[in-house]
Amino acid sequence: MLRIFFLFSLLLCTVVCTGQKPVAQLPLTYIDTTFNLPTGVTWAAHTSTDLSNALKSSVPGDTIVLDAGVTYRGNFTLPAKANPNSKWIYIVSSKLSNLPAPGNRVSPANAANMPKIVAATGNYVFNVGAGANHYRLVGLEITSPAASITELIASGANIGKPMPDSITVDRCYLHGSDTTDVRRAVDLNASNYAVIDSYISNIHQAGNDSQAVGGWYTPGPIKIVNSHLEAASENIMFGGAGGLNNPWVPSDIEIRNNHIFKPLTWVAKSYPNGSEMVIKNLLELKSARRVLIDHNVLENIWPSAQSGYAFQLTPRPNQSGLLAVVDDVTITNNVLKNVSSGFDILESDTNCLPANGCTNPGELKRVVIANNLIMLGDTTQLQYNRGGAGGFLLLPGYQHAPLSDVVLQHNTIVPPPNLGYCKSSFYIDVGGTAPFTNVYSRTKNVWILDNVGCRQINGEAGWVGQFPYVLTDFLGDPPPPAGRLQGNVFYQATGDVAYPLPARNVVSRTMTFASDYSLTSPDWKAKTSDGKQVGVDASKLPGSLTTPPVVVTSITVSPTDATTIVNGTVQFYAMAFYSDGSKQMVTSSATWASVSGPNTLQAAAITAGGLATGKYPWGSHGNGVLWRPYCLNQVDRPGAVMNRLELGFCTFP
């Protein structure tokens, strides 16, 4: 009897003393986007007028076919129609069979097999009318020749009007241009809205926020799957508009298998404060509930108009409506590439003030972030040196309530390749200045488990372990915090003190990664909370959603320092720096006693794989190395992705 009582007490303490590990509720509804061409009347629309007439006259169950290669100009509305049997109207390309099959993403290379629909004025190309339902756009190129357009696909959703429903954008190419501003590609304000297998690019607007896809006046569900999404401000955003009386919280959102991307050519256009490009984040939730974000690649974000986070989870009732929350969010198996910072997590709306009529600051609860690879960008890149270089920023309850019910587990934070360490891996922003005399936990039921961090946990209160109160201040509720902080490996940067942590955590002076970013040293598997390898499980990450390779066959190098190498020999080189930390050098086959004019280095061997040592390793000769970067490209190599390519020349006596 005593033994049973002891076991019961132990189990009770596990729940009461350590807390119950939060579980985020997944979407209740997933949209079925199976392609099923209607069998009703087929409307052949050869002109813009034909398209307008077909949209007016077609009935649910019909198909409207547009001629590939033909341009249709206008502002076209998808009207509401009586549809008691929930039949679809498909609007498709005449060369649909030449496009990738359902379930496969299109690209700009497929545009020749698409009709092009362009706006006549600057408001929209397509507008989904109030109450419109069951329209599917398939294999269309949608753009605008105007200098500026508000939305490519707009929505008529509004208070007091019927909600649009069941809209699918399938294998479409939506884009602006370098000289065409587009505020938003797809307005998701409808129920049962899906964007699948599509390619959205060049979405930006000078002086304004812009999104590839965004919604705020929608009950959901929403599906964003297997698409390329490119926009300046927030590639994907939910919430952020609608006013205090907005009755909807976007809910049941599925975001999977996408490439969420900002071109690095936009960095200079956003410098210093977004004069041409308003750059903010890659994915932002200001109002959302039951969200699954899984198996995506999020690539390139830098400080500009904001600090530059891949993810920003910040409830904003002041903008999104008094019902706004960020609850039940699951973020798993994603790759964050070349990001200034990973996650910004805020407990409630710091801008919700009674003077503004905002009486409910909202909340963020039941957020699970697990098995994500966070690859911080080289801080020598333009703009990347303006801040950031951190994995997680946690903004807990010094405004309204504690940051509650968050799980951060099996994430790996890879430091900037030029540094080998990061500014912070987990930064707890509690406000104020240490040391604190009023010690209390700024969070409630926050779990940090089995992660690989590029630095120890820190914040305004100091480093965890530096002072007795820091761990309590950061993670003390419920006590003791040790059960919610375990299984982690943190890097000890040069000059840092290895402060004591709860058992089953380690601070290490060395970290060795395999090519898949699994941690090979130190071996910490036996110390994790679940017995699995610490950090990310690369087998669950997307492996093919990367930037298309630029294969370098030859590069012309014209040295400007030729006078410095007279009386020495010179050998040209290309040095490839890969994301797994390896380098590869390819040198020219010939040397010159002096140099005049351009010389061509054949650099095809860079794609061959393996780390070349070369006869003259780069940077090892006392006579000095003269080099300057000529090119920033990515080149595929088996087992690694190239971060950058440097070209130059070496001199030897």
Side-chain angles (χ1 to χ4, degrees), residues 30 52-53 70 83 192 232 263 301 312 379 414 453 499 535 646:
Y30 294 88
S52 295
N53 292 336
V70 171
N83 192 8
N192 291 286
I301 184 62
Q312 194 164 59
T379 60
V414 181
Y499 294 109
E646 291 181 356

Side-chain angles (χ1 to χ4, degrees), residues 477-495:
D477 186 9
R484 292 177 286 103
L485 178 64
Q486 61 173 294
N488 302 285
V489 176
F490 300 106
Y491 180 64
Q492 180 188 354
T494 301

Side-chain angles (χ1 to χ4, degrees), residues 397-413:
Y398 59 90
Q399 282 281 342
H400 299 104
L403 179 68
S404 301
D405 298 326
V406 174
V407 178
L408 311 175
Q409 186 169 19
H410 279 295
N411 302 288
T412 293
I413 308 166

Side-chain angles (χ1 to χ4, degrees), residues 396-398 401-403 430-431 436 438 440-444 472-474:
Y398 59 90
L403 179 68
V430 298
F436 298 125
N438 182 20
Y440 64 95
S441 181
R442 314 305 175 102
T443 67
K444 184 173 183 178
T472 297
D473 195 274
F474 287 170

